[in-house]
Amino acid sequence: MARQWSEGHSTPILCVGASPGPEGLLASGSEGGEVTVWSQEGTILGRLTLPGEEDSTSVVFSPAAPGQLYVSHGDAVSVLDPRNLRGPVEEFQGAGEEEINALALNDTGSALAVADDSGAVRVLELPGGKVSRTLRRHTNICSSVAFRPHRPNNLLSAGLDMQVMLWGLQKTRPLWTLNLQDIAEDEDDHQQRPGQLFNPPLAHCVSVASCGNIVGCAAEDGRVHLMRIGSGSKLEQQGAVKAHSQGASQAHFVHFPSHPYWLVTGGNDGLVALWDLSKHPVVAPEEKAKPRVVQRRKGKNKTKRKEPSQDKAETPLKAEAEKEEAEVEVEEEAAEDVTYGKSGPKLSISHGDKVNWLCPVVLKGEHCVVVADQSCSLTVYPLSPL
């Protein structure tokens, strides 16, 4: 079922990117500054080692100009022509303040976001690479950035300070900040089993669905934290999916025709999973209110609190109704995380090695996910149930 794409690298592959369009190319970057461009069949079209031989940490194709490939290495970004890998067409030296971890381009290809080890996010104007904004709110490494589709001035960032932030690029302060640790602690208060250990939710990878309103963030606690952005760019709702038994390193929305809420995740547990989030309460809030979310045990309401009775016939019924209402609220809050987790992924692949990067892509009309791990080869899995 799986296909191996080999001989493109001599060092472990760290990142993968795909150009838009049905006949698009793929690119991968590895340790030591290696960059390889692949055809849809897995044929190597070009190989290059970037000057300085620092790790290639992120590769992104321009959505506006598929002939432009941006690669981060050290604190620099190189612009390459993927069909002619002789050397950088353009170099943005010092694009990051420290080593760059992730790149993101907006829909129009007019802005490049650069996340680095200092925690800063720089926004570069394209073409030219002039720094137009420096966003400083993360107190630790900024690991991931993603623009909101259809909103080229809205940018999400996530970092090892366990924070997810939404920025409006007109300002240098975030529109909102979500602390994943606070949420995880609240959830674990009523969900933790004795002896169960949790890793802190260091945020590794942020992705936005094609609708622009649903955000997923893979974190070290094994969860993918979900956020819904409402009108006025406000954070409307958040929840999570317990996706992995160890840290979740990757989460990417997949653009399937059925709906925009397919998510592919990868983790340190060696699993790659495909999730249908269309019924998750964060994505579809009306699902939260449906009776099937809440399952009661018989006899749960046997003990009733005695209330002073003004109307003997009405009060016990009213008190019972209020109590039931309160129980529904509490149970539904837990259900956002727990009940959804029970439904499980639509596809679970035991890849067997820690996942460095995932790239969902359509190859020759077939939906696939390309997996980079600790090795020098790529693995391609068809997402066959779809």
Side-chain angles (χ1 to χ4, degrees), residues 54 71-78 91-96 98 100 103:
E54 293 180 280
V71 183
S72 58
H73 52 109
D75 65 359
V77 175
S78 291
E91 286 267 5
F92 304 147
Q93 292 293 341
E98 293 182 19
I100 297 167
L103 300 174

Side-chain angles (χ1 to χ4, degrees), residues 1-225:
M1 194 168 111
R3 305 194 292 280
Q4 288 280 327
W5 290 4
S6 303
E7 297 175 12
H9 291 271
S10 63
T11 54
I13 300 170
L14 303 176
C15 55
V16 188
S19 68
E23 297 301 316
L25 304 175
L26 285 89
S28 51
S30 70
E31 293 176 5
E34 293 183 0
V35 180
T36 302
V37 173
W38 309 81
S39 73
Q40 296 226 331
E41 294 84 6
T43 306
I44 297 165
L45 301 178
R47 290 181 64 182
L48 174 71
T49 300
L50 291 164
E53 299 190 9
E54 293 180 280
D55 295 352
S56 302
T57 52
S58 187
V59 289
V60 289
F61 286 87
S62 169
Q68 290 178 339
L69 172 66
Y70 294 83
V71 183
S72 58
H73 52 109
D75 65 359
V77 175
S78 291
V79 188
L80 307 175
D81 178 350
R83 296 193 176 273
N84 185 13
L85 275 190
R86 288 189 183 161
V89 178
E90 205 174 353
E91 286 267 5
F92 304 147
Q93 292 293 341
E97 295 182 0
E98 293 182 19
E99 186 176 359
I100 297 167
N101 299 305
L103 300 174
L105 282 158
N106 65 0
D107 281 346
T108 58
S110 62
L112 175 71
V114 174
D116 71 26
D117 277 0
S118 76
V121 178
R122 280 183 169 173
V123 181
L124 280 56
E125 291 175 1
L126 298 176
K130 182 187 170 189
V131 177
S132 63
R133 280 273 182 273
T134 301
L135 311 172
R136 302 178 199 280
R137 279 299 167 98
H138 287 287
T139 57
N140 203 326
I141 289 168
C142 185
S143 47
S144 183
V145 278
F147 280 95
R148 285 179 74 191
H150 322 300
R151 293 164 187 83
N153 287 319
N154 267 200
L155 176 72
L156 284 129
S157 64
L160 302 194
D161 57 357
M162 299 176 275
Q163 314 257 18
V164 178
M165 301 181 189
L166 176 67
W167 306 84
L169 296 186
Q170 295 83 355
K171 298 178 180 176
T172 54
R173 64 176 186 273
L175 299 171
W176 51 258
T177 298
L178 183 66
N179 187 320
L180 300 184
Q181 189 173 32
D182 292 348
I183 299 160
E185 283 171 359
D186 289 347
E187 287 171 351
D188 295 340
D189 279 348
H190 59 266
Q191 291 174 28
Q192 190 166 358
R193 292 186 287 276
Q196 192 173 1
L197 296 173
F198 286 98
N199 290 323
L202 312 175
H204 293 306
C205 179
V206 68
S207 178
V208 191
S210 57
C211 65
N213 297 327
I214 303 296
V215 179
C217 181
E220 189 62 28
D221 59 359
R223 290 183 174 104
V224 175
H225 295 266

Side-chain angles (χ1 to χ4, degrees), residues 251-307:
H252 297 271
F253 282 98
V254 187
H255 305 313
F256 286 123
S258 52
H259 61 70
Y261 307 120
W262 292 100
L263 184 80
V264 64
T265 66
N268 298 343
D269 54 2
L271 287 177
V272 174
L274 176 71
W275 305 82
D276 177 358
L277 300 180
S278 58
K279 290 184 168 56
H280 190 282
V282 170
V283 174
E286 64 277 7
E287 292 289 326
K288 189 178 171 185
K290 288 188 180 177
R292 64 179 175 75
V293 176
V294 180
Q295 293 177 343
R296 298 188 179 287
R297 290 189 191 140
K298 284 186 179 177
K300 189 170 182 178
N301 295 329
K302 275 183 181 171
T303 56
K304 290 189 292 220
R305 196 174 66 219
K306 239 186 171 181
E307 306 237 353

